[in-house]
Amino acid sequence: MEQIKLTVNGKGYELQVRPWASLLEVIRDDLGLTGTKEGCGEGECGACTVIMDGKAVNSCIVLAVEADGRQITTIEGLAEGDKLHPVQEAFLEMGGMQCGFCTPGMILSTKVLLDGNKNPTDEDIRKGLEGNFCRCTGYTKIFESVKAAAQKIRR
Amino acid sequence: MKEYTVIGQRVPRIDGRQKVMGQAKYAADYSLPGMLFCKVARLPVAHAKILNVDTSKAERLPGVKAVVTAKDFNGWTWGFMANTRDEPPLAMDKVRYYMEAVAAVAAIDEDAAEEACDLIKVDYEELPSVFDPEDAIREGAPVVHDYRPNNVSVEYHWNFGDVEKSFAESYLVREDRFRTSRATKGYLEPPASLAWYDPAGYITVWAAKQSPYFHYRHLAACFGLPLSKIRVIQPFIGGGFGGTKNDSVAGDFCAVMLSKMTGKPVKFVYTQEEELTISKRRHSMIVYNKMGMSKDGLITAIQSRVIADGGGYTAVSPLTMYLTGCCTPLPYKLPNYKYDCYRAFTNNPICAAMRGHGVTHTRFACEIQMEMMAEELGIDPVEIRMQNAIDNPKPGEIYRTINDMTLKTCGIKEAIQTLVRDPLWAQKDKAPKQDGSVSYGVGMSATSYLGGARQLGHQSCAAIVRICEDGTVNLITGATDCGQGSDTVLAMIAAEELGVRYQDIDFKMVDSAYTPVDPGSYGSRVTVLAGQAVQTAAADAKKQLLDILGREWKVSPEEIEIRNAEVYHRSNPSRRIPFDKLAKIACYSGSGAVIIGKGYSGYGIEPLGFENGRGNAGTSFSFTAQTTRAGVDMETGHVTISDFVIAHDCGRPLNPIGAESQNEGGAVQGMGQAIYEDFIMDRGKTLNPTFLDYKMPRSTDVPDIKVIDIITDDPDGPFGAKEASEGSHVSAPPSVVAAIHDATGIWFKEQPVTAEKIVAALKEKGKWPGKQ
Amino acid sequence: MAQFYKRLPRFQYLLPKTIEEALSFLKEHKAAARLFAGGTDLIPQLKKREVDIPRCLVDLKGIPGLDSIAYDEEAGLKIGPLATINAIKDCPYVRDHYPSLLQAASSMASPQVRNRGTFAGNICSAVPSADSAPALLALEASVRLLGQKGAREVPMDKFFTGPRKTVLETDEMLLEIRVPRPKPGSRNVYLKLSPRHSMDLAIVGVAVVATCEDGICKDIKIALGAVAPTPIRVPAAERILEGKRITPEIIEEVSQNVAAQCSPIDDHRASLEYRRDMVYILARRALNNVLTK
């Protein structure tokens, strides 16, 4: 077992983890934060996306030990109490989801995209979400949600 | 027409807040104290006789609590019909497809469970195998199931009118061979369940099922328990699209059995690769299609001979093959029709239902063949469709197809005309046809899909509307939202009918201990049938409320109206109270009342004609016309789909955001099937069981999509609604393929139309601009 | 019996703080150790048990300074072993001087993977379709390796020895990728063909570096990915064009020659014939792009 310290959604944790445990497994099983989903387990679908030190990563292919000393944001860390983050608000209002399994990762990727670019073009949005797979919506409503979120953030 | 207060509004999804906050819990998110982990061990051979399964080493591994094999299930099997129950939870005498489940382990953690599976030893004898469906039904082929020595799992032979005579009299007759993709649902959430077998004789599972009541019956039968003791609790479902989540999988039965053996809760979660390798996928079908036309392009007859690759077991395929045949007389008038189908057992993975179930295969064939013939006759794609399309029946009238399907509304002509006026089609000849190596084309399709599907047995959906004394409402149904948005639509229906606000409705997800039994989420039946049940239940609750208030106000209940959570006297609107006050008055009337409205859907009582193909496969039918603009790189064959315009007759979109999104998602899934998606098989083994190699459209692949509603207000649907999404799933492939034809001049008859197939075809025609 | 593994296999995790410490781990464990940078290739492979299970993973991310990207007019570009694909993609020097590296980096996987995956990892994994490899080959990059026996520099065209195989010894690590400064006036491009518009492996990748001086082609370098057991250079084709006047005919001839020299496989991703045809098409496009625009 390895000892790690990490901050998740602003809260510090000290944990004993198996060296071969993924960050995703530790977030879900040890911390009980099940908002982060496992879709493919190999970095193709983005359902397990979390933000690590400001960057989107696939937590299913990051080892938990690699997160030692890092700052992690999961979907549970985005809203402030009952107040949704503008990206969450936009996805809710524009209907940027169906089954919801890709939604946490989609929202976190959108947040990172908009953190770096408040005026994304259609192409920027498509490229920014290329690592997040959605089978339900055909993406139209997701793109509309990202644009609405950008507008909210610019305001 | 009455103005709606909730129906037609762009409301947020009822579960949206939970989903955007990460609070929505799916099956894999549940856990219980002391829970064990189940892992399924599989045999990597497509067809083999099992001689011995040795689990002793696995059982001795520290952390392992139990191991289950076929013998623990005492020969129990399940299936769609009484005479097709051929699938065991774990392989008994032999495996019939690659990686079929043979044993399963429960251990204290996943590491131990996986290590234990490695220690199970199977002695087996490989058997001759068969993978091609046409080979499988030839004499002398290896036999997959002894009860079907000819490997024909399902066959139907239907004949309407006189096709032979009609072909003889037709001006033009064409025969072609079409083939549809080996596609799959591709949902993100792999199968999972948390199971608890209470030694007192109760089973409780939190299972990823889009139709939980199939599973409920399977568990009762498998474990010999009464249905009253089976509790299937439906979590949020991460996508359905038919097939696996309408059925049970090895892990489902094994987790319950292991819980029974250990006295502990047991959870299993498949991997995505496991799902993509073994789970139930769409049939790939070979369609030999023959069509006759008059000189001016009227369809005179269609004859379809379909050979479907069924894989190792029957599953739901008697329905698949029914739907493949029955909907051919839509959306065009068809006076003569013959259908012969053979579903072959092979040693491929099991094929079953998927969105656009059955219909997508034959509709693709007919749609493309019709265009090919129109081209031969010099008739324009719009004209050929308009002159064959079924007219919208006048109010009170019914259109009857040659196989006795009945339509009360049909928006196909209006949909086509709408597309003709839309700029994508109207200005297609003004848009550039060529840019560098890229050729552009625009294609059209017109299709239909059933809503409110019927099958065998219990057909009805039910709903309970429970009024709380503070004016809020619990809506209890047996319906499952696997993403399509039906919880939202049902809540909207309840709010509209009852006269309350959408946000006053609380929707209860399925818990078979408390919610009414329901067939499930398949065949676009939830809005149509559960919707009718909800509307009836809400009306029942409303009547109870108004009866009480009528007595209180000393007026006839008919004189009182409820709208927007306001209750008022029709002829004296100043006499009004808020709905919460009414609820309180009603619930406290007398010594205290219980206001519960109930209702169930009344369709689908007549039996389906499996043998003769006659009758309504659904309660109503949606109609879709679609245009697609595609760019084809004539050097690489690479296709870019830039635009979809979908004109969809869903009767009336009750929740416009949901209906649009369903159409968009359905069409993109259809686009995947048209140009990307296909399982590549090698002797029963799926070579591309990953999201990297099973190519589904991603954010950079999808077109801009416009959805246009064609409103027909079907008299049978709740508030006029019919189905949405399976229609656009069926319309997309022919529309895409027609666009590729417009760009390349070549008709493709085999899905998916990959870049490589395009280059091969261009080379064959001498049109490839590369070296020859 | 077979199964679909969800968990990673057991291994020990080592986090050296210095290069020396990393090398000593390699010396101690030899083939039982695997160097570990972004893990975007290795972790999925380990999950699927597609590679030999190492006894230990040696994570280089504890060693400071290995993620640098430096450029100077003399030495050109120096890429540290931990420089991520996104860091390369966002690097102004890369954008200004090495468009082919930018094109390769942008075409790889997703933002999430590019935030973790490294250029060094991409070439050390040595899959034939590695997008960075053709660009680096055509740019005549080299890698600096350090091991027990000291340091050595290996040109890219000597680095790959087979599918997933390189000259790296079990006790060696890659210290730096060196990419010479492109010659004044020269241009470079990487073109990738894949079924979808992103998130795909290359069916064919073609990189070309060349200078067009008064209509004469100079210093032409052509490299291919995904169409041979390793990424390859095609010197015979280069020789046809070197020093010649650029005409549509010669570009046609060279493109055909390039296609004739590759040795693609026939697999579930594409047929041999299609890959070969596409080498021809992409080579022609890349040559036109670099020489005639």
Side-chain angles (χ1 to χ4, degrees):
Chain A
M1 294 293 246
E2 302 275 336
Q3 168 94 15
I4 59 167
K5 277 190 199 177
L6 74 171
T7 306
V8 180
N9 302 332
K11 192 174 163 195
Y13 295 89
E14 277 188 44
L15 302 165
Q16 296 282 332
V17 299
R18 299 179 194 200
W20 58 90
S22 70
L23 176 59
L24 173 66
E25 287 160 348
V26 167
I27 287 172
R28 285 176 56 82
D29 303 339
D30 296 8
L31 306 186
L33 297 172
T34 55
T36 309
K37 304 301 179 197
E38 176 158 10
C40 71
E42 52 179 352
E44 291 294 331
C45 77
C48 67
T49 301
V50 299
I51 303 175
M52 184 156 86
D53 290 347
K55 289 180 173 156
V57 300
N58 292 312
S59 62
C60 74
I61 55 170
V62 174
L63 298 180
V65 283
E66 294 181 83
D68 187 26
R70 308 292 198 116
Q71 298 271 344
I72 312 274
T73 304
T74 71
I75 189 66
E76 290 92 343
L78 224 50
E80 285 172 36
D82 271 354
K83 175 146 180 43
L84 298 181
H85 185 277
V87 176
Q88 291 172 310
E89 247 175 42
F91 272 75
L92 178 61
E93 287 163 10
M94 304 306 290
M97 83 208 87
Q98 284 192 22
C99 84
F101 207 76
C102 74
T103 309
M106 202 64 86
I107 286 176
L108 291 173
S109 281
T110 302
K111 180 186 184 293
V112 172
L113 170 70
L114 298 181
D115 283 348
N117 178 1
K118 291 190 172 32
N119 285 292
T121 62
D122 288 3
E123 190 56 29
D124 293 338
I125 294 171
R126 285 167 179 261
K127 283 292 284 178
L129 297 179
E130 69 190 355
N132 292 82
F133 173 64
C134 169
R135 184 60 155 173
C136 298
T137 64
Y139 297 91
T140 308
K141 296 274 183 282
I142 290 174
F143 298 155
E144 288 169 8
S145 302
V146 178
K147 285 181 213 168
Q151 210 167 28
K152 281 173 190 282
I153 288 170
R154 285 199 299 270
R155 244 189 264 133
Chain B
M1 193 181 63
K2 188 179 161 185
E3 202 175 293
Y4 298 127
T5 57
V6 182
I7 294 299
Q9 302 295 311
R10 301 183 78 82
V11 300
R13 289 180 68 100
I14 200 163
D15 53 10
R17 212 178 149 82
Q18 284 157 285
K19 285 180 173 174
V20 299
M21 292 181 81
Q23 294 169 340
K25 285 180 84 171
Y26 300 74
D29 300 339
Y30 284 83
S31 51
L32 285 171
M35 176 176 89
L36 302 175
F37 295 85
C38 162
K39 190 78 191 174
V40 176
R42 302 174 178 280
L43 196 58
V45 183
H47 200 194
K49 191 169 162 194
I50 298 172
L51 304 174
N52 185 45
V53 183
D54 178 0
T55 60
S56 55
K57 272 192 185 163
E59 282 164 43
R60 286 198 299 270
L61 186 76
V64 171
K65 298 297 178 190
V67 181
V68 58
T69 61
K71 65 178 177 348
D72 297 301
F73 290 103
N74 291 321
W76 182 79
T77 55
W78 87 99
F80 178 69
M81 287 171 143
N83 60 352
T84 65
R85 293 197 179 128
D86 54 21
E87 192 176 356
L90 294 171
M92 295 187 283
D93 51 337
K94 64 178 191 169
V95 292
R96 294 180 172 85
Y97 62 91
Y98 178 81
M99 285 294 212
E100 188 172 348
V102 174
V105 171
I108 54 166
D109 61 28
E110 286 177 297
D111 285 340
E114 291 189 352
E115 203 181 333
C117 285
D118 287 340
L119 298 175
I120 298 172
K121 198 171 168 299
V122 185
D123 297 325
Y124 63 90
E125 180 189 314
E126 207 165 332
L127 296 169
S129 41
V130 61
F131 304 104
D132 179 275
E134 293 188 295
D135 289 347
I137 57 175
R138 279 192 196 109
E139 202 148 313
V143 176
V144 180
H145 285 274
D146 292 340
Y147 84 102
R148 291 276 193 271
N150 59 359
N151 284 332
V152 176
S153 146
V154 177
E155 64 182 304
Y156 298 131
H157 304 282
W158 306 337
N159 207 342
F160 308 99
D162 189 341
V163 290
E164 288 311 323
K165 179 165 173 284
S166 178
F167 285 135
E169 291 166 6
S170 294
Y171 177 77
L172 181 64
V173 177
R174 237 197 110 93
E175 284 186 75
D176 294 279
R177 182 185 195 264
F178 297 87
R179 182 154 196 166
T180 52
S181 300
R182 293 179 183 279
T184 199
K185 304 126 324 191
Y187 43 61
L188 259 175
E189 181 209 21
S193 177
L194 169 59
W196 163 233
Y197 192 104
D198 183 331
Y202 290 88
I203 292 173
T204 304
V205 297
W206 290 258
K209 299 295 166 196
Q210 68 182 100
S211 300
Y213 287 95
F214 282 122
H215 193 45
Y216 153 89
R217 293 189 178 102
H218 293 163
L219 290 179
C222 180
F223 291 90
L225 289 175
L227 286 169
S228 57
K229 296 191 173 184
I230 306 295
R231 187 169 178 197
V232 180
I233 301 175
Q234 178 226 310
F236 282 95
I237 306 297
F241 315 117
T244 311
K245 287 183 186 172
N246 271 337
D247 208 331
S248 302
V249 300
D252 287 313
F253 297 110
C254 292
V256 175
M257 184 61 88
L258 289 164
S259 178
K260 185 179 178 184
M261 291 158 86
T262 59
K264 305 269 191 190
V266 178
K267 177 156 92 173
F268 86 91
V269 182
Y270 278 4
T271 71
Q272 190 62 247
E273 191 182 357
E274 194 164 24
E275 156 68 28
L276 293 174
T277 304
I278 56 94
S279 286
K280 285 164 182 157
R281 46 186 68 185
R282 190 197 283 304
H283 290 76
S284 168
M285 294 194 194
I286 300 162
V287 182
Y288 292 97
N289 219 54
K290 186 172 178 184
M291 188 182 284
M293 265 189 198
S294 69
K295 192 174 181 179
D296 43 9
L298 284 175
I299 299 169
T300 53
I302 292 175
Q303 181 174 356
S304 299
R305 190 164 64 86
V306 177
I307 293 144
D309 182 353
Y313 295 93
T314 305
V316 73
S317 65
L319 183 61
T320 310
M321 302 317 295
Y322 185 93
L323 294 173
T324 301
C326 78
C327 284
T328 297
L330 295 175
Y332 306 111
K333 288 165 271 191
L334 179 61
N336 300 284
Y337 174 47
K338 187 167 188 294
Y339 174 62
D340 297 282
C341 74
Y342 306 85
R343 179 191 188 261
F345 278 132
T346 64
N347 296 114
N348 285 320
I350 308 166
C351 298
M354 185 179 146
R355 193 184 224 175
H357 195 188
V359 179
T360 187
H361 310 276
T362 32
R363 183 41 50 201
F364 173 73
C366 290
E367 197 68 8
I368 299 299
Q369 194 171 45
M370 184 183 75
E371 279 231 30
M372 295 168 91
M373 294 173 73
E375 195 178 30
E376 281 184 56
L377 295 172
I379 301 173
D380 163 81
V382 173
E383 197 189 329
I384 192 83
R385 289 188 166 83
M386 284 303 289
Q387 66 185 16
N388 283 293
I390 295 167
D391 290 297
N392 192 13
K394 293 191 179 69
E397 289 181 6
I398 283 174
Y399 173 86
R400 185 176 290 273
T401 66
I402 190 158
N403 58 339
D404 287 338
M405 294 193 295
T406 54
L407 306 181
K408 291 179 182 167
T409 56
C410 171
I412 195 64
K413 281 193 164 178
E414 190 185 337
I416 295 167
Q417 284 164 329
T418 302
L419 290 187
V420 169
R421 288 189 299 271
D422 183 84
L424 189 72
W425 188 267
Q427 290 164 27
K428 71 186 169 79
D429 296 327
K430 292 180 200 144
K433 290 291 272 184
Q434 193 77 33
D435 178 15
S437 60
V438 179
S439 273
Y440 294 94
V442 180
M444 178 183 274
S445 67
T447 63
S448 175
Y449 198 81
L450 57 124
R454 299 192 292 119
Q455 50 161 304
L456 301 168
H458 182 270
Q459 290 299 319
S460 201
C461 296
I464 296 166
V465 168
R466 184 168 65 193
I467 309 294
C468 302
E469 63 192 42
D470 62 357
T472 60
V473 178
N474 291 130
L475 176 56
I476 300 155
T477 76
T480 296
D481 190 336
C482 50
Q484 78 272 36
S486 59
D487 289 358
T488 302
V489 167
L490 297 179
M492 291 173 83
I493 291 171
E496 184 71 50
E497 187 66 33
L498 199 52
V500 300
R501 298 167 308 174
Y502 165 64
Q503 60 266 37
D504 295 330
I505 308 285
D506 174 72
F507 190 90
K508 298 294 182 201
M509 300 203 295
V510 170
D511 177 339
S512 65
Y514 304 105
T515 51
V517 69
D518 183 283
S521 298
Y522 58 86
S524 282
R525 63 195 313 292
V526 182
T527 294
V528 177
L529 297 180
Q532 190 200 21
V534 168
Q535 192 175 11
T536 312
D540 181 22
K542 184 176 181 180
K543 181 174 181 304
Q544 294 175 42
L545 290 168
L546 295 185
D547 281 349
I548 291 168
L549 190 64
R551 286 200 295 274
E552 183 96 3
W553 280 3
K554 298 189 170 51
V555 299
S556 151
E558 287 76 46
E559 291 174 53
I560 310 172
E561 177 65 290
I562 314 177
R563 264 175 92 77
N564 255 328
E566 288 284 318
V567 188
Y568 55 91
H569 191 254
R570 275 183 217 276
S571 47
N572 177 15
S574 63
R575 186 170 192 193
R576 63 171 56 219
I577 54 170
F579 183 79
D580 56 356
K581 185 102 184 273
L582 166 61
K584 190 155 192 176
I585 291 168
C587 291
Y588 282 73
S589 66
S591 59
V594 175
I595 311 294
I596 291 177
K598 47 184 190 158
Y600 57 89
S601 63
Y603 298 120
I605 297 158
E606 41 181 326
L608 205 57
F610 271 93
E611 290 316 312
N612 60 20
R614 283 190 188 278
N616 278 316
T619 58
S620 54
F621 297 83
S622 79
F623 294 90
T624 315
Q626 181 177 343
T627 46
T628 298
R629 181 169 156 87
V632 181
D633 188 319
M634 300 291 275
E635 292 180 348
T636 62
H638 197 258
V639 173
T640 301
I641 307 291
S642 60
D643 298 272
F644 278 166
V645 184
I646 300 161
H648 185 67
D649 162 22
C650 67
R652 171 171 292 275
L654 306 187
N655 168 22
I657 292 181
E660 284 159 19
S661 188
Q662 278 286 288
N663 274 305
E664 291 153 0
V668 165
Q669 208 175 29
M671 162 195 161
Q673 187 176 318
I675 63 172
Y676 294 138
E677 295 176 33
D678 201 19
F679 280 126
I680 314 295
M681 306 299 297
D682 179 24
R683 296 189 55 77
K685 178 182 179 180
T686 304
L687 297 180
N688 55 338
T690 62
F691 282 174
L692 174 65
D693 281 324
Y694 180 78
K695 310 267 179 209
M696 295 183 278
R698 313 228 13 162
S699 61
T700 46
D701 303 310
V702 299
D704 292 334
I705 307 175
K706 177 157 61 164
V707 177
I708 304 170
D709 295 313
I710 306 298
I711 310 286
T712 55
D713 277 319
D714 197 86
D716 289 339
F719 301 100
K722 301 191 285 188
E723 84 85 37
S725 104
E726 299 206 69
S728 72
H729 185 71
V730 174
S731 65
S735 169
V736 167
V737 171
I740 293 173
H741 165 260
D742 193 39
T744 61
I746 298 172
W747 283 113
F748 290 87
K749 296 187 271 189
E750 198 164 296
Q751 300 170 352
V753 185
T754 59
E756 184 167 344
K757 283 185 194 160
I758 290 174
V759 167
L762 289 169
K763 283 172 88 170
E764 197 187 308
K765 304 250 178 209
K767 288 176 153 186
W768 188 56
K771 70 183 163 170
Q772 296 296 328
Chain C
M1 245 165 104
Q3 63 178 306
F4 294 92
Y5 297 97
K6 196 153 168 285
R7 298 277 297 178
L8 282 162
R10 288 155 204 242
F11 50 73
Q12 198 187 342
Y13 174 78
L14 301 171
L15 187 66
K17 295 281 186 271
T18 63
I19 291 171
E20 293 68 36
E21 201 185 345
L23 291 175
S24 74
F25 285 141
L26 292 184
K27 187 185 173 194
E28 183 188 339
H29 297 283
K30 304 231 163 40
R34 275 294 294 263
L35 285 178
F36 177 58
T40 53
D41 193 36
L42 180 61
I43 298 290
Q45 278 182 46
L46 285 173
K47 266 195 197 175
K48 296 184 173 194
R49 311 300 194 264
E50 285 173 352
V51 286
D52 293 337
I53 313 295
R55 192 162 58 230
C56 53
L57 290 193
V58 181
D59 187 354
L60 295 176
K61 292 191 289 295
I63 306 172
L66 295 187
D67 60 351
S68 68
I69 305 172
Y71 176 79
D72 68 65
E73 298 283 314
E74 276 299 298
L77 190 69
K78 292 181 180 175
I79 301 171
L82 292 183
T84 63
I85 301 163
N86 261 348
I88 303 280
K89 176 175 161 280
D90 297 337
C91 170
Y93 305 121
V94 170
R95 188 190 57 216
D96 293 347
H97 304 289
Y98 307 94
S100 58
L101 290 183
L102 172 62
Q103 287 150 351
S106 310
S107 77
M108 282 152 77
S110 63
Q112 292 95 318
V113 167
R114 295 194 295 265
N115 279 333
R116 299 280 300 167
T118 63
F119 253 48
N122 193 235
I123 60 169
C124 288
S125 288
V127 296
S129 62
D131 287 301
S132 64
L136 291 171
L137 272 167
L139 289 163
E140 297 197 288
S142 59
V143 290
R144 216 171 110 75
L145 312 179
L146 185 64
Q148 292 302 320
K149 283 177 242 155
R152 58 175 175 147
E153 185 148 340
V154 179
M156 278 305 299
D157 60 357
K158 300 278 188 296
F159 182 69
F160 302 110
T161 55
R164 295 198 168 274
K165 290 200 179 76
T166 70
V167 298
L168 266 171
E169 300 287 339
T170 53
D171 64 353
E172 270 185 319
M173 66 176 278
L174 187 153
L175 212 54
E176 198 167 79
I177 303 171
R178 295 179 169 181
V179 195
R181 191 172 78 100
K183 296 208 168 59
S186 94
R187 298 165 70 166
N188 58 82
V189 70
Y190 173 67
L191 299 181
K192 168 177 178 173
L193 183 72
S194 58
R196 291 177 298 194
H197 296 74
S198 64
M199 292 300 288
D200 269 343
L201 300 181
I203 294 291
V204 172
V206 177
V208 172
V209 179
T211 310
C212 170
E213 238 180 64
D214 303 326
I216 305 296
C217 173
K218 290 196 170 157
D219 298 315
I220 173 90
K221 308 286 178 289
I222 305 170
L224 309 176
V227 289
T230 69
I232 52 165
R233 278 271 299 274
V234 272
E238 294 167 3
R239 281 196 295 273
I240 300 174
L241 200 49
E242 184 64 38
K244 301 280 170 50
R245 178 156 297 280
I246 299 153
T247 62
E249 291 73 25
I250 199 163
I251 286 178
E252 180 69 26
E253 184 192 343
V254 173
S255 306
Q256 293 202 21
N257 186 283
V258 172
Q261 288 186 59
C262 64
S263 49
I265 51 165
D266 224 339
D267 72 356
H268 63 274
R269 295 193 173 116
S271 71
L272 186 157
E273 184 185 350
Y274 181 65
R275 285 187 203 258
R276 194 186 287 281
D277 284 343
M278 291 306 109
V279 169
Y280 161 75
I281 294 289
L282 263 64
R284 193 171 68 175
R285 286 183 184 181
L287 289 166
N288 277 319
N289 182 304
V290 164
L291 294 171
T292 67
K293 275 186 183 163

